[in-house]
Amino acid sequence: MELVFEIEGGDFTSAGNASSKIKKVLKQLNIDSKTIKRIVIAVYEAEVNIVAHAKKGILKASIGSHFIEVKLTDKGPGIEDVEKAMEAGFSTASKQVREMGFGAGMGLPNIKKNVDELDIVSEVGKGTLVKFKNYF
């Protein structure tokens, strides 16, 4: 099963729509609630990263019999130093985004903490691909 979502940059009212829909599907598949929670946290953090930093993005979730693989591609500024961006508290979010309560620098660390596999490929000025996988 594949689910695809378009994510608009700057649209904080829609952030979380994909993670909510994925959660609903995983519940219907009787996936363990702790596993669902980990997946939903990772998807939500990734969604918010696109909303906060990119112009737009696409989220594709492929659900197999024992795993979910999520790929997010965005057209954004890219990440200059992925290793630094993985540090808790490091953020390049704008003042405006931080004033809304986002951009605390926990997005990528929370994704890493809640997935079984994570890969990030980014090119400054072009965008970022975040791919992660959870097994159940």
Side-chain angles (χ1 to χ4, degrees):
M1 171 187 309
E2 183 166 286
L3 304 169
V4 179
F5 304 91
E6 292 184 13
I7 302 168
E8 288 298 318
D11 184 5
F12 285 92
T13 59
S14 296
N17 285 350
S19 55
S20 292
K21 289 177 183 170
I22 289 170
K23 179 180 180 180
K24 185 175 179 182
V25 170
L26 294 173
K27 278 186 169 182
Q28 290 171 344
L29 295 172
N30 293 320
I31 306 300
D32 172 66
S33 63
K34 288 182 181 178
T35 301
I36 291 174
K37 184 178 178 182
R38 291 179 65 219
I39 294 166
V40 169
I41 288 170
V43 173
Y44 178 77
E45 293 286 6
E47 280 185 88
V48 170
N49 278 347
I50 290 176
V51 171
H53 297 284
K55 294 177 187 166
K56 62 182 177 178
I58 299 284
L59 183 158
K60 293 181 181 177
S62 300
I63 302 172
S65 59
H66 295 82
F67 70 91
I68 179 169
E69 182 177 71
V70 181
K71 294 180 184 176
L72 299 104
T73 55
D74 72 46
K75 299 213 180 290
I79 302 171
E80 199 169 307
D81 184 342
V82 173
E83 192 173 317
K84 184 79 175 167
M86 296 301 295
E87 293 178 9
F90 176 80
S91 178
T92 59
S94 68
K95 182 179 177 185
Q96 181 184 15
V97 168
R98 290 179 193 203
E99 287 174 352
M100 289 188 290
F102 299 98
M106 294 306 296
L108 290 177
N110 277 341
I111 293 170
K112 183 178 179 181
K113 181 179 166 185
N114 286 289
V115 301
D116 297 318
E117 296 175 11
L118 173 63
D119 188 32
I120 300 172
V121 178
S122 189
E123 189 172 344
V124 173
K126 294 198 173 184
T128 301
L129 163 66
V130 174
K131 183 171 75 172
F132 55 85
K133 197 168 192 176
N134 282 66
Y135 296 94
F136 41 81

PDB file of all heavy atoms in Angstrom, residues 25-43:
ATOM      1  N   VAL A  25      -4.433   4.427   9.196  1.00  0.00           N
ATOM      2  CA  VAL A  25      -4.216   3.214   8.397  1.00  0.00           C
ATOM      3  C   VAL A  25      -3.494   2.151   9.216  1.00  0.00           C
ATOM      4  O   VAL A  25      -3.873   0.971   9.197  1.00  0.00           O
ATOM      5  CB  VAL A  25      -3.418   3.551   7.111  1.00  0.00           C
ATOM      6  CG1 VAL A  25      -2.963   2.275   6.405  1.00  0.00           C
ATOM      7  CG2 VAL A  25      -4.252   4.410   6.176  1.00  0.00           C
ATOM      8  N   LEU A  26      -2.469   2.553   9.972  1.00  0.00           N
ATOM      9  CA  LEU A  26      -1.716   1.584  10.780  1.00  0.00           C
ATOM     10  C   LEU A  26      -2.594   0.961  11.865  1.00  0.00           C
ATOM     11  O   LEU A  26      -2.466  -0.233  12.166  1.00  0.00           O
ATOM     12  CB  LEU A  26      -0.484   2.250  11.395  1.00  0.00           C
ATOM     13  CG  LEU A  26       0.587   2.704  10.387  1.00  0.00           C
ATOM     14  CD1 LEU A  26       1.677   3.490  11.089  1.00  0.00           C
ATOM     15  CD2 LEU A  26       1.163   1.524   9.621  1.00  0.00           C
ATOM     16  N   LYS A  27      -3.497   1.755  12.434  1.00  0.00           N
ATOM     17  CA  LYS A  27      -4.439   1.209  13.426  1.00  0.00           C
ATOM     18  C   LYS A  27      -5.348   0.172  12.778  1.00  0.00           C
ATOM     19  O   LYS A  27      -5.623  -0.868  13.365  1.00  0.00           O
ATOM     20  CB  LYS A  27      -5.288   2.332  14.029  1.00  0.00           C
ATOM     21  CG  LYS A  27      -4.609   3.082  15.138  1.00  0.00           C
ATOM     22  CD  LYS A  27      -5.570   4.070  15.779  1.00  0.00           C
ATOM     23  CE  LYS A  27      -4.997   4.638  17.046  1.00  0.00           C
ATOM     24  NZ  LYS A  27      -5.931   5.554  17.710  1.00  0.00           N
ATOM     25  N   GLN A  28      -5.806   0.462  11.556  1.00  0.00           N
ATOM     26  CA  GLN A  28      -6.673  -0.482  10.843  1.00  0.00           C
ATOM     27  C   GLN A  28      -5.946  -1.799  10.541  1.00  0.00           C
ATOM     28  O   GLN A  28      -6.568  -2.832  10.410  1.00  0.00           O
ATOM     29  CB  GLN A  28      -7.198   0.146   9.549  1.00  0.00           C
ATOM     30  CG  GLN A  28      -8.192   1.261   9.801  1.00  0.00           C
ATOM     31  CD  GLN A  28      -8.550   2.043   8.538  1.00  0.00           C
ATOM     32  OE1 GLN A  28      -7.852   1.962   7.531  1.00  0.00           O
ATOM     33  NE2 GLN A  28      -9.619   2.816   8.617  1.00  0.00           N
ATOM     34  N   LEU A  29      -4.605  -1.709  10.437  1.00  0.00           N
ATOM     35  CA  LEU A  29      -3.804  -2.897  10.160  1.00  0.00           C
ATOM     36  C   LEU A  29      -3.396  -3.627  11.455  1.00  0.00           C
ATOM     37  O   LEU A  29      -2.637  -4.587  11.404  1.00  0.00           O
ATOM     38  CB  LEU A  29      -2.550  -2.507   9.365  1.00  0.00           C
ATOM     39  CG  LEU A  29      -2.811  -1.960   7.954  1.00  0.00           C
ATOM     40  CD1 LEU A  29      -1.525  -1.416   7.340  1.00  0.00           C
ATOM     41  CD2 LEU A  29      -3.430  -3.046   7.071  1.00  0.00           C
ATOM     42  N   ASN A  30      -3.904  -3.121  12.589  1.00  0.00           N
ATOM     43  CA  ASN A  30      -3.629  -3.718  13.908  1.00  0.00           C
ATOM     44  C   ASN A  30      -2.135  -3.740  14.261  1.00  0.00           C
ATOM     45  O   ASN A  30      -1.648  -4.681  14.887  1.00  0.00           O
ATOM     46  CB  ASN A  30      -4.202  -5.136  14.001  1.00  0.00           C
ATOM     47  CG  ASN A  30      -5.708  -5.128  13.980  1.00  0.00           C
ATOM     48  OD1 ASN A  30      -6.327  -4.256  14.599  1.00  0.00           O
ATOM     49  ND2 ASN A  30      -6.297  -6.044  13.251  1.00  0.00           N
ATOM     50  N   ILE A  31      -1.434  -2.700  13.887  1.00  0.00           N
ATOM     51  CA  ILE A  31      -0.028  -2.562  14.262  1.00  0.00           C
ATOM     52  C   ILE A  31       0.026  -2.164  15.732  1.00  0.00           C
ATOM     53  O   ILE A  31      -0.822  -1.410  16.228  1.00  0.00           O
ATOM     54  CB  ILE A  31       0.665  -1.484  13.381  1.00  0.00           C
ATOM     55  CG1 ILE A  31       0.476  -1.793  11.891  1.00  0.00           C
ATOM     56  CG2 ILE A  31       2.137  -1.329  13.760  1.00  0.00           C
ATOM     57  CD1 ILE A  31       1.026  -3.103  11.428  1.00  0.00           C
ATOM     58  N   ASP A  32       1.035  -2.645  16.431  1.00  0.00           N
ATOM     59  CA  ASP A  32       1.232  -2.352  17.856  1.00  0.00           C
ATOM     60  C   ASP A  32       1.211  -0.834  18.109  1.00  0.00           C
ATOM     61  O   ASP A  32       1.847  -0.070  17.370  1.00  0.00           O
ATOM     62  CB  ASP A  32       2.593  -2.950  18.269  1.00  0.00           C
ATOM     63  CG  ASP A  32       2.986  -2.544  19.664  1.00  0.00           C
ATOM     64  OD1 ASP A  32       2.304  -2.961  20.612  1.00  0.00           O
ATOM     65  OD2 ASP A  32       3.964  -1.779  19.788  1.00  0.00           O
ATOM     66  N   SER A  33       0.510  -0.422  19.160  1.00  0.00           N
ATOM     67  CA  SER A  33       0.328   1.011  19.422  1.00  0.00           C
ATOM     68  C   SER A  33       1.647   1.745  19.701  1.00  0.00           C
ATOM     69  O   SER A  33       1.805   2.904  19.329  1.00  0.00           O
ATOM     70  CB  SER A  33      -0.655   1.229  20.570  1.00  0.00           C
ATOM     71  OG  SER A  33      -0.144   0.680  21.759  1.00  0.00           O
ATOM     72  N   LYS A  34       2.609   1.071  20.341  1.00  0.00           N
ATOM     73  CA  LYS A  34       3.906   1.724  20.585  1.00  0.00           C
ATOM     74  C   LYS A  34       4.650   1.955  19.276  1.00  0.00           C
ATOM     75  O   LYS A  34       5.304   2.989  19.097  1.00  0.00           O
ATOM     76  CB  LYS A  34       4.764   0.867  21.527  1.00  0.00           C
ATOM     77  CG  LYS A  34       4.272   0.874  22.946  1.00  0.00           C
ATOM     78  CD  LYS A  34       5.179   0.062  23.847  1.00  0.00           C
ATOM     79  CE  LYS A  34       4.646   0.071  25.281  1.00  0.00           C
ATOM     80  NZ  LYS A  34       5.454  -0.741  26.172  1.00  0.00           N
ATOM     81  N   THR A  35       4.545   1.024  18.368  1.00  0.00           N
ATOM     82  CA  THR A  35       5.177   1.177  17.054  1.00  0.00           C
ATOM     83  C   THR A  35       4.498   2.301  16.276  1.00  0.00           C
ATOM     84  O   THR A  35       5.175   3.129  15.650  1.00  0.00           O
ATOM     85  CB  THR A  35       5.102  -0.151  16.270  1.00  0.00           C
ATOM     86  OG1 THR A  35       5.759  -1.161  17.031  1.00  0.00           O
ATOM     87  CG2 THR A  35       5.766  -0.020  14.906  1.00  0.00           C
ATOM     88  N   ILE A  36       3.182   2.350  16.328  1.00  0.00           N
ATOM     89  CA  ILE A  36       2.448   3.427  15.647  1.00  0.00           C
ATOM     90  C   ILE A  36       2.883   4.775  16.196  1.00  0.00           C
ATOM     91  O   ILE A  36       3.131   5.712  15.430  1.00  0.00           O
ATOM     92  CB  ILE A  36       0.924   3.241  15.813  1.00  0.00           C
ATOM     93  CG1 ILE A  36       0.450   2.018  15.025  1.00  0.00           C
ATOM     94  CG2 ILE A  36       0.182   4.502  15.347  1.00  0.00           C
ATOM     95  CD1 ILE A  36      -1.014   1.670  15.240  1.00  0.00           C
ATOM     96  N   LYS A  37       3.008   4.882  17.496  1.00  0.00           N
ATOM     97  CA  LYS A  37       3.405   6.151  18.110  1.00  0.00           C
ATOM     98  C   LYS A  37       4.772   6.601  17.594  1.00  0.00           C
ATOM     99  O   LYS A  37       4.956   7.770  17.244  1.00  0.00           O
ATOM    100  CB  LYS A  37       3.437   6.007  19.632  1.00  0.00           C
ATOM    101  CG  LYS A  37       3.750   7.293  20.365  1.00  0.00           C
ATOM    102  CD  LYS A  37       3.711   7.086  21.871  1.00  0.00           C
ATOM    103  CE  LYS A  37       4.067   8.380  22.590  1.00  0.00           C
ATOM    104  NZ  LYS A  37       4.092   8.202  24.033  1.00  0.00           N
ATOM    105  N   ARG A  38       5.724   5.671  17.545  1.00  0.00           N
ATOM    106  CA  ARG A  38       7.068   6.017  17.040  1.00  0.00           C
ATOM    107  C   ARG A  38       6.996   6.502  15.589  1.00  0.00           C
ATOM    108  O   ARG A  38       7.614   7.500  15.223  1.00  0.00           O
ATOM    109  CB  ARG A  38       7.993   4.799  17.128  1.00  0.00           C
ATOM    110  CG  ARG A  38       8.344   4.389  18.540  1.00  0.00           C
ATOM    111  CD  ARG A  38       9.242   3.170  18.592  1.00  0.00           C
ATOM    112  NE  ARG A  38      10.528   3.501  17.985  1.00  0.00           N
ATOM    113  CZ  ARG A  38      11.221   2.662  17.217  1.00  0.00           C
ATOM    114  NH1 ARG A  38      10.787   1.462  16.963  1.00  0.00           N
ATOM    115  NH2 ARG A  38      12.370   3.036  16.708  1.00  0.00           N
ATOM    116  N   ILE A  39       6.234   5.808  14.774  1.00  0.00           N
ATOM    117  CA  ILE A  39       6.120   6.169  13.357  1.00  0.00           C
ATOM    118  C   ILE A  39       5.459   7.535  13.209  1.00  0.00           C
ATOM    119  O   ILE A  39       5.933   8.393  12.447  1.00  0.00           O
ATOM    120  CB  ILE A  39       5.325   5.087  12.589  1.00  0.00           C
ATOM    121  CG1 ILE A  39       6.115   3.774  12.568  1.00  0.00           C
ATOM    122  CG2 ILE A  39       4.983   5.559  11.173  1.00  0.00           C
ATOM    123  CD1 ILE A  39       5.298   2.562  12.153  1.00  0.00           C
ATOM    124  N   VAL A  40       4.390   7.760  13.934  1.00  0.00           N
ATOM    125  CA  VAL A  40       3.644   9.021  13.822  1.00  0.00           C
ATOM    126  C   VAL A  40       4.510  10.205  14.284  1.00  0.00           C
ATOM    127  O   VAL A  40       4.476  11.272  13.659  1.00  0.00           O
ATOM    128  CB  VAL A  40       2.316   8.938  14.607  1.00  0.00           C
ATOM    129  CG1 VAL A  40       1.658  10.302  14.724  1.00  0.00           C
ATOM    130  CG2 VAL A  40       1.378   7.958  13.927  1.00  0.00           C
ATOM    131  N   ILE A  41       5.276  10.011  15.338  1.00  0.00           N
ATOM    132  CA  ILE A  41       6.178  11.094  15.787  1.00  0.00           C
ATOM    133  C   ILE A  41       7.171  11.437  14.677  1.00  0.00           C
ATOM    134  O   ILE A  41       7.375  12.614  14.351  1.00  0.00           O
ATOM    135  CB  ILE A  41       6.919  10.692  17.081  1.00  0.00           C
ATOM    136  CG1 ILE A  41       5.957  10.687  18.257  1.00  0.00           C
ATOM    137  CG2 ILE A  41       8.098  11.637  17.348  1.00  0.00           C
ATOM    138  CD1 ILE A  41       6.523  10.073  19.533  1.00  0.00           C
ATOM    139  N   ALA A  42       7.777  10.412  14.082  1.00  0.00           N
ATOM    140  CA  ALA A  42       8.764  10.657  13.026  1.00  0.00           C
ATOM    141  C   ALA A  42       8.131  11.348  11.818  1.00  0.00           C
ATOM    142  O   ALA A  42       8.691  12.315  11.276  1.00  0.00           O
ATOM    143  CB  ALA A  42       9.421   9.340  12.616  1.00  0.00           C
ATOM    144  N   VAL A  43       6.950  10.872  11.404  1.00  0.00           N
ATOM    145  CA  VAL A  43       6.281  11.469  10.245  1.00  0.00           C
ATOM    146  C   VAL A  43       5.893  12.915  10.545  1.00  0.00           C
ATOM    147  O   VAL A  43       6.104  13.806   9.719  1.00  0.00           O
ATOM    148  CB  VAL A  43       5.046  10.640   9.827  1.00  0.00           C
ATOM    149  CG1 VAL A  43       4.256  11.367   8.740  1.00  0.00           C
ATOM    150  CG2 VAL A  43       5.463   9.261   9.334  1.00  0.00           C
TER     151      VAL A  43
END
